[in-house]
């Protein structure tokens, strides 16, 4: 969560105000951090289940700013593995049109890549030449450097990513991959527990769970169900 909050804080500091989230397991820390930022009114967050659609939605947001003469990148956030290549069409469009787009993808730690682990692939090379730059944030960055130094390092990397996306030095804006690696636990259990308790219905004395009707008897092969007659 320290790393995820550092990434989101750095994005906000660089002027990112719109994000599209595709919820998943590996990007759960980013989802929590973005939800907190959205609740505080610091970012406009949209949740889209399909990664391909999410990529084009974020591209449309960034393109709308570009048409107004402002190079403000939008971020699309996905989980790891095969979810990432679904952003390739939007990345290619952003590359061809010169639209700043931040592809913020969660990933597994380096030691799990190339070991046959489920939903693990070489994400840093997925987009080939379509991206202007690739930023790869290790899973233990904030732990190894400490919170203050690690957060500063993340801010510097994200600043470089946004500069590359907006073409601040190259004058060639386009998509940039921010690959952020996380290791379990992937969600703060204390926050999850407190929020789940808040969402529970109040206990009422004598309350019983609603009865669930038994399933209809199975039909024999070759027979059709007869609809009930109107009363």
């Amino acid at each position: 969560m320290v790393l995820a909050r550092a990434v989101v804080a750095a994005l906000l500091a660089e002027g990112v105000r719109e994000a599209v989230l595709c919820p998943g397991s590996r990007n759960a820390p980013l989802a929590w951090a973005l939800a907190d930022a959205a609740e505080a009114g610091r970012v406009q967050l949209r949740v889209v289940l399909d990664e391909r659609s999410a990529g084009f939605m974020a591209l449309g947001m960034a393109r709308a700013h570009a048409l107004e003469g402002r190079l403000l990148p939008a971020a699309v956030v996905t989980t790891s593995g095969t979810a990432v290549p679904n952003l390739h069409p939007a990345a290619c469009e952003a590359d061809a049109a010169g639209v700043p787009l931040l592809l913020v993808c969660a990933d597994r730690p380096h030691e799990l890549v190339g070991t046959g682990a489920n939903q693990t692939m070489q994400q840093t090379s997925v987009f080939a030449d379509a991206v202007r730059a690739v930023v790869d944030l290790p899973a233990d960055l904030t732990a190894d450097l400490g919170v203050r130094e690690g957060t500063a390092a993340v801010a510097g990397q994200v600043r470089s990513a946004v500069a590359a996306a907006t073409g601040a030095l190259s004058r060639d804006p386009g998509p940039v991959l921010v690959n952020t690696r996380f290791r379990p636990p992937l969600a703060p259990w204390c926050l999850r527990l407190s929020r789940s308790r808040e969402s529970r219905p109040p206990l009422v004395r004598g309350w019983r769970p609603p009865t669930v009707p038994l399933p209809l008897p199975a039909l024999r092969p070759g027979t059709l169900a007869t609809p009930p007659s109107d009363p």
Side-chain angles (χ1 to χ4, degrees):
M1 284 306 303
V2 174
L3 177 59
R5 289 194 178 106
V7 171
V8 172
L11 291 173
L12 297 177
E14 295 304 315
V16 177
R17 292 295 179 268
E18 293 174 316
V20 183
L21 170 67
C22 296
S25 174
R26 188 63 52 171
N27 69 341
L30 290 170
W32 282 93
L34 284 170
D36 290 340
E39 188 175 352
R42 303 186 62 192
V43 66
Q44 186 176 5
L45 180 63
R46 292 178 174 85
V47 178
V48 178
L49 299 183
D50 178 68
E51 287 84 6
R52 180 185 174 96
S53 301
F56 280 106
M57 179 175 288
L59 174 64
M61 295 174 181
R63 184 172 177 81
H65 292 304
L67 292 176
E68 296 174 353
R70 300 179 299 168
L71 290 177
L72 296 177
V76 53
V77 184
T78 72
T79 190
S80 62
T82 54
V84 179
N86 285 282
L87 300 180
H88 204 170
C92 290
E93 292 281 354
D95 174 31
V99 177
L101 181 64
L102 296 175
L103 314 171
V104 184
C105 302
D107 200 354
R108 300 200 176 208
H110 285 94
E111 67 270 15
L112 291 182
V113 179
T115 62
N118 184 37
Q119 286 294 310
T120 303
M121 59 189 304
Q122 289 286 356
Q123 297 180 186
T124 54
S125 59
V126 165
F127 303 105
D129 297 333
V131 293
R132 301 294 183 269
V134 175
V135 171
D136 194 11
L137 300 176
D140 300 318
L141 181 61
T142 53
D144 293 341
L145 299 180
V147 175
R148 179 175 299 179
E149 290 78 7
T151 300
V154 170
Q157 292 293 318
V158 172
R159 189 179 306 115
S160 299
V162 175
T166 57
L169 300 178
S170 64
R171 297 185 182 276
D172 183 24
V176 169
L177 170 61
V178 180
N179 199 62
T180 308
R181 301 178 183 270
F182 298 103
R183 65 175 73 253
L186 297 174
W189 66 269
C190 54
L191 292 178
R192 184 175 59 205
L193 180 61
S194 63
R195 292 190 179 184
S196 64
R197 286 178 176 174
E198 292 174 359
S199 61
R200 291 179 184 175
L203 295 178
V204 179
R205 181 175 298 179
W207 179 86
R208 293 292 183 272
T211 58
V212 179
L214 296 176
L216 295 175
L219 297 176
R220 290 178 298 174
T223 61
L224 295 177
T226 304
S229 58
D230 294 334

